[in-house]
Every structure is written in structure tokens, then in C-alpha cells.
Amino acid sequence: MVLLWQVLLLAGCDYFVSEQQAQVPFYNRDSRGRADTIGKLGTQSISIPAGVIDGWARYMGDPGDFADPKIKAKYQRPPESYDLPIESFGFLYRITDGDIYTSFRQTEEDYRRDNETLIPYGKPFPWAGVIIYGEYDAAPLNFNFTVQDDFRSARDVTHFDYIQQPQPLYGLTVYRANNGIDPKTGEPWKWDDNAKDIFIKKDQAGNIKTYIDCQFTHHINSCHHMFYNDDWHIRVLMIYSRTYLPQWQEMEGNIINILDSWRVSREGKLLGKQIGKA
């Protein structure tokens, strides 16, 4: 579970512009009076409910987590607006019902309880760590190069090939390292970070839009699931227990539905009912 929070924290940063400094018409607020986080994610202006983001939203141009402290000290972020490009932010998504974690909502208590009652006993943990990345350059929105580079690295570094399996799984094309066999033992892989199973989904043009890898890491069979959305111009990363892999397509749809519920006009007027609002 530590890894999940570490990954989410990488999506945030500590450069906060106060509401008084921001030149915007108004902020949407929750029942406790907390102001939303605002900006433009990919192609859409959004208002993220207070208490949802784990850490802070990182905006384009913000110094990185490991940037020179002198650079951080001199940096001044432009005033917040519904057009200020968001680079990334993270939150927690509950796979079993499509809800999300928000502080001062029931989901806060639910998440704490699940940590205490499920993880210590090795039971499937129903929460996924999610990071959303805005994509603003001209790079293609697909994983074609990523997958081929993974295959090349396996061949050059660990000296085995990824073999496409004859049957798809859950609608995904499956590739297994050395056809699923550890060459050292002649038995199925039991634990090797370099021997993940790879699952992909292509669009009608043949471009890889969904890329999932699942592996054993310290006895936790986890998946890293990435997908692109062309309408939003974003890349999404989710990390969750492999138990929930059959729901990969539902998860992708639910994440986009959550983002859609946060859409606003350029003046900040909500276009729907926000999911996760306290």
C-alpha cells in the first residue's frame, strides 16, 4: 500500500496559489466551504471537488519534485484560472462501485476500514490509485512505441521474448514472458519483476490505446493500467489488484465519467453533478 501512496504523491507538488491571488469569477465549493481545484485538463476546463486530490495538482511549468531549491524559490505560478493547463493530479477510485475517495465523506472512513480489514489478511483491496496526465504536445496518443520498447528490453536485457497467446482474455490481446515459463526453473513464473504479463487493446486504426502489465511483486499480484482518451487528450494510469483485471473496460469508462462530471464552462459554471463532492 505504501507504493500506491508514493506513486500518487509524485503527481502532486507544493506550489499553491491562494484563492485571493487567483483572478477567476468564482470557485465552486463543497458543503464545508472548501474551494475546488481548477484548471484545464487536456481539452476541458474542470473544477475538481475539494478533498478528492491526493496531494496537489501539478500545473504545466511547475518545477519538478527534485528541482533545484533555488529554482523552486524563484518560481511564481501564473494566477489560477479555468484555462491554466494541469499537468497531473492523483486520486483514489473504488473499483467495486465506481465511487472515489473524498475527505469528510463516507468514503474516507471506508478507505480506512478497508486498509485495516483487508490488506493485513491478503484480501483483494478494492481501491485503485489513479493519476491523470494532461497531454499537450504533438506526440501520438498511443502506446505503440512503449510496447515495442518493452519487448526489445526483455530480449536484450533479460534474454527472453514476449509471446502472443492464442486466445484473448477479457477482450485484451495477451503476451506472456517466455510463453509464461521461467527459463531458470522450467516452471510457470512465480515472482519476477521483469516477467510481467502484458495486455493490450488497439483501436480500429491499429494503435494501442490501452496498455496493462501485471506482475508479482512481494506476493502482491498487481496491475499497472494505462490508457489514452482522445476526446480529453489525456493519459490515465491506474494501479490495482489483478483480481479486478476483468473490469478493466468498466474502469476506463468510469474514470471518464468522473472527469466529465467535473467539466465546467470557461467561467466555472458546472456542466453536471460533480462525482465525489462532499
Side-chain angles (χ1 to χ4, degrees):
M1 194 56 220
V2 174
L3 288 176
L4 174 60
W5 283 104
Q6 287 174 338
V7 170
L8 285 173
L9 286 172
L10 288 176
C13 65
D14 53 0
Y15 303 99
F16 177 73
V17 177
S18 70
E19 181 178 350
Q20 289 73 26
Q21 293 174 289
Q23 299 174 0
V24 294
F26 68 93
Y27 282 81
N28 296 293
R29 297 176 178 275
D30 67 5
S31 61
R32 303 177 66 88
R34 297 180 299 176
D36 287 3
T37 296
I38 67 171
K40 191 167 188 177
L41 177 65
T43 60
Q44 305 293 329
S45 295
I46 61 172
S47 185
I48 306 169
V52 167
I53 294 179
D54 178 52
W56 293 266
R58 185 193 299 280
Y59 293 85
M60 295 298 292
D62 285 348
D65 294 323
F66 305 106
D68 187 320
K70 294 180 180 179
I71 295 177
K72 290 184 178 182
K74 293 180 180 179
Y75 176 70
Q76 290 187 337
R77 179 190 291 164
E80 287 187 3
S81 75
Y82 291 102
D83 287 321
L84 187 62
I86 297 173
E87 178 182 314
S88 62
F89 63 91
F91 62 94
L92 290 164
Y93 164 76
R94 186 160 58 192
I95 302 168
T96 47
D97 66 355
D99 205 349
I100 60 176
Y101 174 99
T102 312
S103 60
F104 297 104
R105 279 179 74 226
Q106 178 61 41
T107 51
E108 182 176 24
E109 178 58 32
D110 295 344
Y111 180 74
R112 184 181 300 112
R113 183 193 63 242
D114 289 345
N115 268 279
E116 295 172 351
T117 61
L118 299 179
I119 292 179
Y121 303 100
K123 296 181 179 180
F125 191 65
W127 297 86
V130 180
I131 302 178
I132 312 291
Y133 300 91
E135 297 289 342
Y136 302 98
D137 56 28
L141 299 181
N142 63 61
F143 298 105
N144 297 354
F145 174 80
T146 302
V147 172
Q148 292 305 315
D149 193 54
D150 273 359
F151 291 169
R152 180 197 57 77
S153 296
R155 188 180 308 112
D156 295 347
V157 178
T158 51
H159 308 297
F160 56 72
D161 287 310
Y162 273 90
I163 309 299
Q164 182 176 341
Q165 302 302 292
Q167 297 296 326
L169 185 66
Y170 315 126
L172 296 162
T173 302
V174 185
Y175 294 84
R176 290 208 161 98
N178 199 44
N179 217 23
I181 301 299
D182 184 342
K184 294 181 180 179
T185 65
E187 300 289 335
W189 294 99
K190 291 184 173 61
W191 179 33
D192 191 328
D193 290 349
N194 295 320
K196 56 197 175 185
D197 291 340
I198 291 178
F199 306 85
I200 66 170
K201 184 68 175 180
K202 296 181 179 180
D203 62 12
Q204 292 183 344
N207 293 309
I208 300 171
K209 306 297 283 189
T210 292
Y211 172 43
I212 306 172
D213 69 67
C214 301
Q215 61 192 39
F216 288 100
T217 305
H218 303 296
H219 309 294
I220 298 176
N221 204 353
S222 60
C223 294
H224 289 69
H225 175 169
M226 295 187 292
F227 70 94
Y228 280 106
N229 182 275
D230 291 341
D231 293 335
W232 277 80
H233 229 260
I234 57 173
R235 174 168 51 95
V236 178
L237 167 65
M238 296 185 284
I239 303 174
Y240 51 81
S241 167
R242 187 166 178 166
T243 302
Y244 298 104
L245 179 61
Q247 296 169 243
W248 71 271
Q249 204 162 11
E250 178 185 345
M251 284 189 264
E252 290 190 2
N254 285 345
I255 293 299
I256 297 303
N257 288 340
I258 290 166
L259 297 178
D260 282 339
S261 80
W262 298 343
R263 290 176 58 231
V264 293
S265 68
R266 293 187 64 184
E267 295 75 32
K269 297 291 186 181
L270 291 169
L271 302 181
K273 184 178 180 181
Q274 290 172 303
I275 294 174
K277 187 169 186 175

